[in-house]
């Protein structure tokens, strides 16, 4: 990333490693698969600020790689970002912009603005021409008011009153389109976000497990991790699991003595140190 | 849905060509649900030719016999062909003159066989069909709602949606459908789904038809439009947060 004393980046994407990867693939190297988040992420603007929501399932193809991952990333104390797409890409890009924002806060002495985060993200993603597969819902409250944006992997952005991204975005959007109105209260906003995420969890295979919610208002941010757990383990033994001696039937017993294979030679040389 | 059947090989002997098919004039989603008195079905009246909205007054829901309604999305000419098959079927059924008539279950079964057989010959009828109806059975008036798609997958459910409706309408129907809804409640729920589809499906238009089927018979209502809301404050001047940003 650009430091203050380094030469500025020449711009554009450096394709050198792509050539190397192509060459390796032709030689038979199988590239590791991407771990995608197969997600439902949402955000909406209510009367005092923004509410962000996300499910907690990370998939690796047909397997659930992480049952309870965190998709709502910290950008600034007043700005949070939900990420869908390739997990590594969303983590890396949000971490990177978060540190850039921190440095900017030190330099300016002011609270970060959402448009700053937005511009940093979209410039980075555009430079990488969609190869950084991060689809983000960015929300926050700054001195100019509450803002909600979506950022697409190729670098385009939208400013919206309510937004959804990820594989479960259509299910969540159907909830928003039918129930969103302006001037929602905090409770209504959280309720609608949770409903939209649940629609994604139950109707989309790429989303599942729990609901995370983040409420951002002027001066206060509440990160409600696992706000709802609509998928509890169904069959739990109330007595717990204990395997006492005697529960497993012993059919036969055979004892084999361990033979000593090392012969200590008397008067031999001392061991090398 | 949406994947092409790539079966372009020639069978030896009979000289029959297997055709690769692409849909040309297509209708978008159909939604249907069971309610207290029977089944309600709704869709828009548009048919697109690729990305052009070619026909704006197309009836994609038709009555079949005395007890059923059929709605179709997908290739419109294949739907017309299916209606012809059903005409022949209901005609020969009527000619038996035995006091019995084909119910929705039977027609669904017939359509399933037709669709699956065509699929096996690599010459599918490019449709997703929704079949709903009410017929008196041993347990009284039995409501029936099912669907068949172009590859022959068929099932029965309390609420059905085809095409984009699968992604946008089914989450709403799953959350809000309940047993024995009144007609007004059912229409409200259907309109909710149709509105979301209008906002988010590029091939839908603001002209809808609702049809219902009860023991009294089928009724297809005249087309009407829904009110859309575009007045969110965020839609006006979205870049106001930072002048000069994009």
């Amino acid at each position: 990333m650009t430091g203050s004393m380094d030469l500025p980046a020449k711009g554009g994407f450096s394709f050198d490693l792509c050539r190397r990867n192509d060459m390796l693939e032709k030689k038979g190297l199988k590239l590791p698969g991407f771990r995608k988040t197969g997600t439902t992420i949402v955000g909406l603007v209510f009367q005092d600020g923004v509410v962000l929501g996300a499910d907690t399932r990370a998939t690796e193809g047909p397997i659930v790689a992480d049952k309870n991952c965190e998709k709502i990333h910290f950008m600034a104390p007043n700005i949070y970002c939900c990420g869908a797409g390739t997990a590594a890409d969303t983590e890396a890009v949000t971490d990177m912009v978060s540190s850039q924002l921190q440095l900017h806060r030190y330099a300016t002495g002011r609270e970060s603005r959402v448009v700053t985060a937005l511009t940093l993200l979209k410039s980075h993603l555009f430079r990488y021409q969609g190869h950084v597969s991060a689809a983000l819902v960015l929300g926050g409250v700054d001195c100019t008011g509450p803002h909600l944006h979506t950022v697409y992997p190729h670098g385009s952005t939208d400013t919206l009153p309510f937004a959804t991204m990820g594989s479960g975005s259509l299910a969540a959007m159907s909830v928003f389109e039918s129930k969103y109105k302006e001037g929602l209260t905090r409770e209504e906003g959280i309720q609608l976000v949770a409903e939209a995420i649940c629609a994604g969890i139950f109707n989309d295979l790429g989303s599942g497990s729990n609901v995370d919610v983040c409420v951002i208002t002027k001066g206060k941010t509440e990160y409600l991790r696992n706000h709802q757990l609509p998928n509890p383990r169904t069959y739990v033994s109330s007595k717990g699991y204990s395997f006492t001696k005697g529960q497993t039937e012993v059919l036969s017993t055979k004892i084999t003595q361990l033979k000593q294979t090392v012969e200590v030679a008397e008067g031999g040389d001392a061991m090398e140190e | 849905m949406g994947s092409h059947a790539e079966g372009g090989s020639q069978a030896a002997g009979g000289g029959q060509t297997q055709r690769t098919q692409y849909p040309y004039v297509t209708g978008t989603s159909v939604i249907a649900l069971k309610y207290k008195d029977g089944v309600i079905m709704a869709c828009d009246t548009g048919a697109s030719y690729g990305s052009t909205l070619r026909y704006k007054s197309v009836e994609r829901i038709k009555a079949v016999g005395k007890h059923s309604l059929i709605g179709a999305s997908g290739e419109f000419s294949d739907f017309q062909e299916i209606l012809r098959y059903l005409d022949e079927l209901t005609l020969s059924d009527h000619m038996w003159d035995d006091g019995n008539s084909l119910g929705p279950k039977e027609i669904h079964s017939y359509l399933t066989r037709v669709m699956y057989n065509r699929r096996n010959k690599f010459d599918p009828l490019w449709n997703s069909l929704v079949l709903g109806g009410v017929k008196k059975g041993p347990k009284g008036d039995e409501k029936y709602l099912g669907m068949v798609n172009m590859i022959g997958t068929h099932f029965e459910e309390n609420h059905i949606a085809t095409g984009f409706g699968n992604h946008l309408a089914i989450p709403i129907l799953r959350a809000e459908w309940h047993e024995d809804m009144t007609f007004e409640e059912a229409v409200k729920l259907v309109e909710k789904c149709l509105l979301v589809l209008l906002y988010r499906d590029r091939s839908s238009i603001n002209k809808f038809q609702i049809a219902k089927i009860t023991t009294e018979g089928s009724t297809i209502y005249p087309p009407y439009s829904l009110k859309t809301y575009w007045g969110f404050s965020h839609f006006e001047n979205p870049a106001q947060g930072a002048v000069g940003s994009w």
Side-chain angles (χ1 to χ4, degrees):
Chain A
M1 307 312 124
T2 54
S4 51
M5 288 294 124
D6 297 347
L7 286 167
K10 283 224 179 96
F13 183 51
S14 161
F15 286 91
D16 296 338
L17 285 181
C18 291
R19 264 183 248 135
R20 179 208 70 165
N21 291 342
D22 260 346
M23 186 266 296
L24 285 171
E25 253 182 304
K26 285 196 184 80
K27 291 203 170 161
L29 171 75
K30 195 167 153 308
L31 287 176
F34 300 113
R35 194 229 250 164
K36 303 206 82 186
T37 47
T39 298
T40 309
I41 48 173
V42 305
L44 60 77
V45 177
F46 71 106
Q47 66 191 28
D48 303 322
V50 301
V51 185
L52 300 173
D55 75 307
T56 60
R57 174 183 285 185
T59 50
E60 212 168 296
I63 304 171
V64 176
D66 190 346
K67 288 189 286 190
N68 208 0
C69 70
E70 283 189 21
K71 297 186 192 178
I72 306 186
H73 308 286
F74 173 88
M75 294 285 249
N78 60 324
I79 308 173
Y80 273 74
C81 184
C82 308
T86 307
D89 287 339
T90 57
E91 284 281 348
V93 101
T94 47
D95 267 356
M96 183 196 82
V97 172
S98 171
S99 22
Q100 287 180 334
L101 286 176
Q102 175 79 298
L103 290 169
H104 192 248
R105 277 202 294 284
Y106 286 140
T108 59
R110 292 185 170 88
E111 191 186 57
S112 299
R113 299 196 189 186
V114 183
V115 283
T116 318
L118 182 71
T119 313
L120 289 167
L121 284 166
K122 69 165 30 170
S123 316
H124 180 82
L125 292 175
F126 181 70
R127 266 183 63 217
Y128 283 82
Q129 289 291 296
H131 290 284
V132 175
S133 171
L136 311 163
V137 171
L138 174 72
V141 180
D142 55 32
C143 58
T144 53
H147 297 281
L148 179 69
H149 303 280
T150 53
V151 187
Y152 289 85
H154 286 265
S156 64
T157 59
D158 286 320
T159 312
L160 296 164
F162 55 91
T164 67
M165 295 284 257
S167 55
S169 62
L170 285 94
M173 187 50 89
S174 69
V175 172
F176 274 170
E177 281 285 16
S178 46
K179 294 192 181 162
Y180 180 80
K181 47 188 213 300
E182 303 223 89
L184 292 166
T185 64
R186 184 178 175 277
E187 281 64 42
E188 289 174 335
I190 296 179
Q191 158 71 13
L192 190 57
V193 158
E195 221 180 298
I197 299 289
C198 282
I201 287 175
F202 292 116
N203 292 297
D204 173 46
L205 295 175
S207 314
S209 302
N210 316 121
V211 181
D212 281 352
V213 172
C214 184
V215 188
I216 310 175
T217 50
K218 189 143 188 67
K220 185 166 137 184
T221 308
E222 275 176 78
Y223 181 38
L224 306 167
R225 169 80 172 143
N226 285 0
H227 172 68
Q228 275 186 14
L229 297 115
N231 289 303
R233 235 201 161 99
T234 8
Y235 304 106
V236 188
S237 164
S238 52
K239 292 175 264 151
Y241 295 98
S242 66
F243 302 101
T244 56
K245 251 188 180 159
Q247 264 190 301
T248 313
E249 199 188 323
V250 178
L251 297 174
S252 66
T253 316
K254 177 180 169 194
I255 303 173
T256 315
Q257 296 286 358
L258 285 174
K259 285 205 197 104
Q260 282 229 323
T261 49
V262 175
E263 304 223 331
V264 181
E266 292 284 310
D269 290 337
M271 225 170 44
E272 286 285 306
E273 254 144 47
Chain B
M1 232 219 109
S3 56
H4 302 307
E6 307 281 352
S9 57
Q10 296 243 7
Q16 274 208 322
T17 352
Q18 289 156 321
R19 283 165 290 278
T20 322
Q21 272 197 30
Y22 307 94
Y24 289 100
V25 179
T26 52
T28 182
S29 338
V30 176
I31 27 182
L33 50 95
K34 287 188 194 168
Y35 72 107
K36 187 160 65 99
D37 308 321
V39 173
I40 190 173
M41 205 180 286
C43 67
D44 72 349
T45 63
S48 319
Y49 182 62
S51 52
T52 325
L53 221 197
R54 179 69 180 83
Y55 303 103
K56 295 200 234 178
S57 292
V58 155
E59 223 180 81
R60 295 193 288 118
I61 299 182
K62 296 282 186 191
V64 182
K66 284 188 275 183
H67 305 284
S68 323
L69 280 178
I70 180 172
S73 69
E75 173 60 62
F76 195 64
S77 61
D78 284 343
F79 178 49
Q80 290 170 325
E81 189 68 6
I82 288 168
L83 289 175
R84 261 204 42 224
Y85 292 157
L86 289 174
D87 261 347
E88 285 176 19
L89 188 75
T90 44
L91 186 67
S92 57
D93 181 51
H94 182 71
M95 290 205 294
W96 279 109
D97 199 20
D98 55 2
N100 192 17
S101 51
L102 286 171
K105 223 176 277 224
E106 290 85 59
I107 299 189
H108 188 214
S109 179
Y110 171 77
L111 287 171
T112 308
R113 292 294 99 222
V114 167
M115 301 298 267
Y116 186 65
N117 268 290
R118 290 290 295 258
R119 163 260 177 109
N120 284 341
K121 293 190 251 178
F122 283 92
D123 185 18
L125 289 161
W126 206 285
N127 292 111
S128 285
L129 305 167
V130 182
L131 216 300
V134 202
K135 190 175 174 204
K136 252 192 178 46
K139 298 184 206 140
D141 284 332
E142 283 169 20
K143 301 177 280 225
Y144 185 88
L145 180 60
M147 97 124 174
V148 198
N149 72 4
M150 67 185 261
I151 56 173
T153 314
H154 60 283
F155 57 88
E156 210 203 309
E157 241 309 351
N158 293 321
H159 41 74
I160 299 274
T162 64
F164 245 95
N166 270 312
H167 299 107
L168 290 169
I170 292 275
I172 303 178
L173 293 170
R174 279 188 184 163
E176 299 187 20
W177 184 88
H178 56 89
E179 206 61 70
D180 289 331
M181 297 174 81
T182 63
F183 181 63
E184 287 71 35
E185 287 177 333
V187 169
K188 265 188 82 178
L189 183 54
V190 151
E191 282 185 347
K192 202 179 210 184
C193 297
L194 288 174
L195 194 58
V196 177
L197 285 168
L198 176 64
Y199 284 135
R200 296 283 162 174
D201 178 7
R202 79 167 194 177
S203 36
S204 67
I205 60 171
N206 196 359
K207 191 171 169 195
F208 303 101
Q209 266 194 309
I210 295 194
K212 70 166 195 218
I213 180 138
T214 58
T215 41
E216 272 112 57
S218 58
T219 320
I220 303 181
Y221 292 96
Y224 70 105
S225 62
L226 291 172
K227 256 178 75 151
T228 54
Y229 179 68
W230 298 93
F232 293 117
S233 59
H234 278 78
F235 285 169
E236 298 162 35
N237 197 11
Q240 71 183 47
V243 181
S245 79
W246 70 105

